[in-house]
Amino acid sequence: MAATRRLSHSVAVITINHPPVNALSHSLRRSIAKEFGDASKDSSIEAIVLCGANGNFCAGADIKEFGSSTLDSVSLNNINDAVERCQKPVVAAIEGVALGGGLELALSCHYRVANVQARVGLPEVLIGILPAAGGTQRLPRLIGIPAALDMIVRGRHVPATEALQLGVVDEVVKANTIDAAIQLARKVLGEKYNHH
Ligand SMILES: CC(C)(COP(=O)(O)OP(=O)(O)OC[C@H]1O[C@@H](n2cnc3c(N)ncnc32)[C@H](O)[C@@H]1OP(=O)(O)O)[C@@H](O)C(=O)NCCC(=O)NCCSC(=O)C[C@@H](O)CCCCCCCCCCCCC(=O)O
């Protein structure tokens, strides 16, 4: 399990990979933190796309590690804060599911592109906990308190088209989600340069 990084022109594509659903285990979080930190510092990289392998963005915290001592070291909150604060545009490319901590990671990105088949949600309530990596702050800021509360208290999986209407994601595509995220990042970069 690891996060890997490739370059598409000046956009770094960081792929989260922990089969089958890219649950955020301790070693995956450590790997994401390293790849993201390196990409943030690399002056040849202008923007970053985060995506998932195995047909999914990420199903959230690794439930199988709950109760172990690894939960706090390399915290998802720290990763999400670093993503949000990044000076380069960061775009999440969401395929399959972005659930729980997976959606919280995507919410920390500056933009989200989803495949039309994707689903997003904060299902923590269904396992008796609350979203604990910024989702209860970032989701209401993005879509307003009533819609965010509805997602948080029901824990339902929201289809991509509804997520677009709600404002959880910025764009929905039928195919080539990662390419679309790269294009969005490059468009944002173009706008940035045109304003200077
Ligand atoms: C993802 C799914 C929609 C996929 O469904 P599908 O039907 O395709 O497949 P399966 O359900 O058969 O799953 C396949 C396979 O994957 C395993 N799996 C799925 N999700 C996870 C996961 N999150 N972690 C680990 N493993 C997972 C599943 O078990 C199967 O494995 P198997 O070996 O049987 O093949 C569907 O699976 C689904 O809906 N999954 C649940 C998604 C979910 O609930 N996500 C939220 C997780 S909680 C979370 O993300 C919290 C965040 O807010 C982050 C917070 C960070 C701080 C953490 C501190 C929390 C402390 C709480 C501790 C309390 C307990 C304690 O320690 O006392």
Side-chain angles (χ1 to χ4, degrees):
M1 65 190 78
T4 54
R5 177 154 58 100
R6 70 178 169 89
L7 204 57
S8 171
H9 301 283
S10 59
V11 180
V13 179
I14 297 176
T15 306
I16 303 166
N17 189 358
H18 178 193
V21 294
N22 309 326
L24 293 160
S25 62
H26 173 248
S27 69
L28 182 60
R29 293 195 307 278
R30 192 170 48 196
S31 182
I32 295 170
K34 176 170 186 340
E35 291 303 334
F36 192 85
D38 289 353
S40 303
K41 284 183 233 134
D42 185 334
S43 59
S44 69
I45 290 171
E46 294 185 290
I48 300 170
V49 165
L50 281 182
C51 61
N54 317 303
N56 283 306
F57 183 74
C58 172
D62 191 334
I63 294 168
K64 291 168 186 165
E65 287 189 355
F66 279 7
S68 77
S69 58
T70 58
L71 264 179
D72 284 337
S73 74
V74 195
S75 90
L76 185 56
N77 271 300
N78 287 348
I79 293 173
N80 290 350
D81 288 347
V83 170
E84 187 174 61
R85 280 199 311 265
C86 185
Q87 297 294 306
K88 303 171 185 182
V90 187
V91 184
I94 303 174
E95 294 176 318
V97 294
L99 296 174
L103 179 57
E104 291 175 303
L105 176 60
L107 289 171
S108 306
C109 298
H110 307 138
Y111 303 94
R112 286 152 292 284
V113 174
N115 184 274
V116 70
Q117 309 277 5
R119 290 174 284 141
V120 302
L122 294 174
E124 284 88 341
V125 67
L126 304 176
I127 55 170
I129 60 172
L130 286 171
T136 54
Q137 288 82 39
R138 291 189 178 100
L139 190 61
R141 271 184 222 143
L142 196 59
I143 67 171
I145 293 171
L149 258 183
D150 177 71
M151 284 180 64
I152 293 165
V153 301
R154 291 169 66 194
R156 68 192 177 94
H157 293 191
V158 175
T161 47
E162 186 186 346
L164 181 65
Q165 284 162 6
L166 289 172
V168 182
V169 301
D170 302 286
E171 191 178 330
V172 170
V173 294
K174 288 191 176 143
N176 304 322
T177 317
I178 297 165
D179 288 345
I182 294 170
Q183 271 176 32
L184 177 57
R186 295 186 66 79
K187 186 174 154 225
V188 172
L189 285 171
E191 284 166 5
K192 182 176 137 192
Y193 292 136
N194 288 338
H195 282 100
H196 283 87

